[in-house]
Amino acid sequence: MTTALPISTPLAPSSSHSMPAACSLSVPSGAPAARPASLPTPGVAAPIHSAQPPRATGVPRSTPPPRSAAPLPRSTSERILLGRDRIRSAAEAGQRIRSYEVALDLDLSEFHFARLFRAAFGSSPHVYYDEVRAERARALLHEGLTEGEVARRIGFRRPAELRALLSKRGSTPPPAGESEPSDASAE
């Protein structure tokens, strides 16, 4: 057996809503009557929520990197070329970049971007990034910079990370203390 319980909702005098002032709720007999969460409790003020959550003071907000104002290319092949250029410029500048960041900027999913990149260039975005870094490191070592300086310029903290990258990518730097033989010593 069900009993109809009247529930009245107070309406503000200035409200323009056309809701009825009272409605009924069917509750099985013997069951306690519970108020729906959306209805206010009479005599209890509802909590006031501000539009923005309170912000902790003294904690700087991280801002996302600025996105380019130029519109994205319409074709997928142009987007992949743009992604390759972004990865190359970050690797040459010694900045860390992740493939999902590039994919997000190109409005592609991370996995779709990786599949298209591999199909277009024969290697994954990460492998390409490492190859560009190794290429830049070899050029800087050839100019005569020390391993420590080269490691810092391409974004590593220690020379050991540089040696690991170069050995993984097919070349090793000269051992510490030794330089490449010059033409004068060959005679």
Side-chain angles (χ1 to χ4, degrees):
M1 175 175 170
T2 61
T3 308
L5 298 174
I7 299 175
S8 61
T9 57
L11 293 176
S14 63
S15 176
S16 63
H17 298 285
S18 61
M19 290 179 49
C23 61
S24 64
L25 175 66
S26 297
V27 178
S29 64
R35 293 190 72 79
S38 62
L39 296 176
T41 306
V44 177
I48 299 173
H49 297 287
S50 63
Q52 296 179 355
R55 189 170 163 218
T57 57
V59 178
R61 273 180 35 183
S62 63
T63 58
R67 296 180 88 170
S68 63
L72 284 176
R74 292 183 65 89
S75 74
T76 306
S77 60
E78 290 174 349
R79 288 184 187 192
I80 298 300
L81 288 172
L82 181 62
R84 182 185 66 175
D85 293 341
R86 287 185 184 175
I87 292 172
R88 176 174 275 288
S89 65
E92 288 175 347
Q95 299 171 343
R96 296 199 185 268
I97 191 166
R98 303 193 189 267
S99 62
Y100 74 87
E101 294 170 344
V102 177
L104 182 68
D105 287 345
L106 298 176
D107 199 25
L108 296 170
S109 78
E110 175 184 2
F111 301 106
H112 188 57
F113 171 69
R115 282 190 302 267
L116 291 173
F117 194 96
R118 183 184 303 269
F121 305 115
S123 64
S124 70
H126 179 74
V127 169
Y128 178 74
Y129 175 74
D130 277 351
E131 287 174 354
V132 172
R133 288 172 88 183
E135 176 184 308
R136 174 90 171 124
R138 285 185 211 105
L140 291 173
L141 286 169
H142 192 265
E143 290 177 7
L145 294 169
T146 66
E147 283 183 358
E149 291 171 339
V150 172
R152 282 185 294 280
R153 284 195 183 181
I154 65 166
F156 289 131
R157 293 183 197 139
R158 296 177 295 278
E161 294 171 343
L162 171 68
R163 287 190 295 272
L165 173 72
L166 291 177
S167 66
K168 185 166 56 170
R169 293 292 155 221
S171 69
T172 57
E178 292 182 25
S179 61
E180 296 181 17
S182 63
D183 294 335
S185 62
E187 290 180 26

